[in-house]
Every structure is written in structure tokens, then in C-alpha cells.
């Protein structure tokens, strides 16, 4: 009996020993008066395991006698059931369980956690308006709760995925709330807000943030790539955004090591900008020759040392061949194709 009591009082279901300890105690003491509580704790431990064990969690929940369910903590039971349904991607069922609990126990101390599960289930099921309403309510009613900011982020994402222009505008308002709160999700919100905005507006949003970043900021590369993409797509007939994008790509490359995993991606994107810019030595021509030199260099480097990801090496090879074929430089195009074909990509 003491073994089961000990298993129930492990620091957390997240404890890697919790699931095994509870399983053993349940098998050893099937008639223990706290067996239903132990099975519920074991289900939670299985859902929190790495990787989660849906079959074990399901078996534990289904083994709890019907007459014992009413004696268990109802919020804990609802969280286990919604967690299992979510793990099995049964989103309507997860939403129904959470909703039923909130109707029956609106003031329960765990209501906020269960409302988060309800909003998440609606989101995953593609019910974006329902998700936004539930998650916004959570953030409004429990602003100090640890789930408030994640709920607001998911609400903003749900609004961004809405079918109307108004919904997308509402997403910007929600992203701005996260940005202004300056919490741990502020930078994620800024990046996702930029995806909702038009290209020129996105560049305006991202530029001052990027410029204020230190070189060792882990988000600097992704922010720079998003910014350059916005500048590239907002250029139109104005080459100023392209010049700015080129400068940022070169700045990113200057802070990357020669074997950085995303170096070839930046090189490729930089060359696509070069292709659009006039050659300062001959403004009637584009800087295609410079781009081709970089594409060739990438292929040569990859032949000497295989990259972790071949995607951008292949993109450089395909683009170089396309440019040469368009220029009717057939021998050079064949040479590039042969060099590219030798790579084990």
C-alpha cells in the first residue's frame, strides 16, 4: 500500500519515474481504496511522457469504474480526457469534454486551463472564430494566468486564419497587445503580425526591430529573412527596397560562419535580389553575372563538403542552369547541369 501512496505523491506526473511507479503500484494493489485516483494520475503521466503513451492513458481512464468517476477531481479528469482526445486528434471530442466541464463548473480553479484546451481544440479543428472567442475570453478574464499570453497568441493566429478582412485586422490588434506587453511571446507576435500585413507594411514593422538587434540575437537571422522577403516583394519598380534587402543579406552573411546551416539559403536569396538590380558598371544590364558566380561557388563548395541540407544547393544549381539557358549559353548550362548532377543531393 505504501508503494502506491508514494507513487501518488511523486513531485509531478512529469517526473520520468511517475508512470512506471504508478503502473507497478496499480498492478500490485488493484483493490487499493485510491486505485481510481492512481489510474487518473497514471493517465496524466502517460500523456506527459516523452513520447506520450495514448494507449496506456486510454487504458487507465477506461479502467476507472463508472461509480468512482464522481469521486475524482473533476477538473483533473476533464484535463486527462481532453488531453487524450487531443493526442488522438479527436478535436470535436476534446472540445465537447472541455465545454461540458465549463458549463458544469464555470468557477472551478482549473477552468482557465480547461478553457485553453477548449480554444486549442477549436483551433486545431479549424473552427477559428470559436477558438478566437474562447481564447480572447481567457486572456481578458485571467490576465495574470500563465496561459493568458499563449491564449492571446493563439487567438491572434485564429483571427489571422479567418476568412474575412475584418478578422485579419482583429489579428493585428491582438498581435499588438502581445508586442506591447513585451513578454516572452512578443517577438513571435511581431514575426507573425508581419505575415498578416502587406509587404510594405511588414517591412516597416520589421526594419526598426531588426536594426536594434544585436548580432548574437537568436532571432536575428529569421527576422532578417522575413524583412528581406517583405522588401523584395514590396519593391515593384522601385529598386530602393531591393538595395536595402541586398545590404541586409550581406550583413547576415558577414555574421555567419562558413559552414552555417542556412548560409546557402541566404546566398541564394541574395542572388535573386542581385538579378533584379542594375549593374553599376553598365546600368543597361542586370547583376546576373555576379549571381551566377555565387551559384557556381555554392555548387563547388558543396562538392567538397556536403551540406546538412541540400535544398538551397539544388536551388542554386537549378537557377544557374535556367539563367544560362535563357541567355542561350548552352555549353555553360550543360557544364552546370553536369556539375550539379554529380552531387549526391
Amino acid at each position: 500500500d505504501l508503494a502506491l501512496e508514494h507513487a501518488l505523491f511523486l513531485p509531478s506526473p512529469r517526473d520520468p519515474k511517475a508512470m512506471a511507479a504508478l503502473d507497478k503500484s496499480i498492478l500490485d494493489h488493484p483493490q487499493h481504496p485510491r486505485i481510481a485516483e492512481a489510474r487518473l494520475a497514471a493517465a496524466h503521466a502517460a500523456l506527459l511522457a516523452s513520447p506520450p503513451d495514448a494507449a496506456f492513458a486510454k487504458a487507465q481512464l477506461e479502467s476507472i469504474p463508472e461509480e468512482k468517476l464522481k469521486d475524482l477531481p473533476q477538473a483533473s479528469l476533464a484535463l486527462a480526457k481532453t488531453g487524450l482526445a487531443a493526442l488522438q486528434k479527436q478535436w470535436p471530442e476534446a472540445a465537447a469534454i472541455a465545454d461540458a466541464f465549463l458549463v458544469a463548473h464555470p468557477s472551478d480553479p482549473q477552468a482557465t486551463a480547461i478553457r485553453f484546451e477548449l480554444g486549442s481544440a477549436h483551433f486545431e479543428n479549424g473552427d477559428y472564430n470559436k477558438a478566437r472567442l474562447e481564447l480572447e475570453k481567457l486572456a481578458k478574464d485571467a490576465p495574470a494566468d500563465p496561459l493568458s499570453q499563449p491564449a492571446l497568441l493563439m487567438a491572434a493566429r485564429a483571427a489571422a486564419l479567418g476568412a474575412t478582412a475584418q478578422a485579419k485586422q482583429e489579428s493585428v490588434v491582438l498581435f499588438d497587445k502581445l508586442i506591447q506587453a513585451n513578454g516572452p511571446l512578443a517577438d513571435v507576435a511581431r514575426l507573425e503580425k508581419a505575415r498578416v500585413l502587406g509587404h510594405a507594411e511588414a517591412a516597416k514593422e520589421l526594419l526598426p526591430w531588426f536594426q536594434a538587434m544585436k548580432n548574437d540575437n537568436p532571432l536575428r537571422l529569421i527576422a532578417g529573412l522575413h524583412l528581406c522577403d517583405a522588401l523584395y516583394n514590396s519593391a515593384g519598380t522601385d529598386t530602393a527596397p531591393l538595395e536595402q534587402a541586398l545590404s541586409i543579406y550581406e550583413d547576415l552573411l558577414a555574421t555567419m560562419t562558413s559552414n552555417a546551416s542556412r548560409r546557402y539559403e541566404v546566398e541564394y536569396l541574395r542572388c535573386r535580389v542581385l538579378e533584379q538590380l542594375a549593374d553599376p558598371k553598365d546600368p543597361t544590364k542586370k547583376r546576373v553575372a555576379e549571381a551566377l558566380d555565387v551559384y557556381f561557388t555554392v555548387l563547388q563548395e558543396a562538392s567538397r563538403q556536403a551540406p546538412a541540407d541540400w535544398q538551397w544547393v539544388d536551388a542554386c544549381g537549378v537557377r544557374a542552369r535556367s539563367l544560362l539557358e535563357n541567355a542561350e549559353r548552352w555549353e555553360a548550362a550543360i557544364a552546370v547541369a553536369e556539375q550539379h548532377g554529380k552531387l549526391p543531393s
Side-chain angles (χ1 to χ4, degrees), residues 35-235:
I35 192 68
E37 188 180 345
R39 289 193 182 281
L40 177 56
H44 277 292
L47 294 171
L48 294 169
S50 181
D53 190 335
F56 183 83
K58 184 173 186 289
Q60 295 306 316
L61 291 174
E62 290 180 348
S63 297
I64 301 172
E66 188 72 27
E67 66 273 12
K68 295 288 186 182
L69 291 174
K70 66 180 187 305
D71 299 326
L72 293 171
Q74 293 302 294
S76 180
L77 183 61
L79 285 169
K81 288 181 174 180
T82 57
L84 176 59
L87 188 58
Q88 296 173 323
K89 300 190 184 303
Q90 296 174 353
W91 306 115
E93 181 180 346
I97 294 167
D99 188 53
F101 175 87
L102 291 170
V103 170
H105 309 279
S107 301
D108 190 277
Q110 292 273 47
T112 298
I114 292 174
R115 189 172 300 282
F116 186 83
E117 295 300 322
L118 175 57
S120 298
H122 283 320
F123 183 91
E124 295 294 345
N125 200 46
D127 299 325
Y128 299 123
N129 189 53
K130 288 182 180 179
R132 180 179 63 80
L133 292 173
E134 290 295 342
L135 294 163
E136 271 195 89
K137 177 176 172 56
L138 187 162
K140 180 181 178 182
D141 292 350
D145 192 280
L147 289 172
S148 175
Q149 295 289 290
L152 197 58
L153 179 62
M154 196 180 300
R157 288 171 172 168
L161 291 166
T164 67
Q166 181 182 347
K168 295 187 186 302
Q169 286 301 314
E170 288 170 353
S171 77
V172 171
V173 172
L174 296 174
F175 284 130
D176 278 337
K177 286 183 179 180
L178 284 163
I179 293 167
Q180 290 159 12
N182 201 29
L185 298 177
D187 288 345
V188 175
R190 188 175 279 107
L191 284 170
E192 296 200 18
K193 175 188 173 183
R195 295 192 185 108
V196 178
L197 298 173
H199 299 305
E201 290 175 307
K204 186 178 179 181
E205 174 77 22
L206 294 173
L207 183 59
W209 179 46
F210 177 79
Q211 291 175 329
M213 284 182 170
K214 294 182 179 178
N215 286 350
D216 60 354
N217 189 314
L219 284 176
R220 190 170 186 269
L221 175 59
I222 189 68
L225 291 176
H226 277 282
L227 172 56
C228 288
D229 182 69
L231 289 166
Y232 181 89
N233 286 293
S234 68

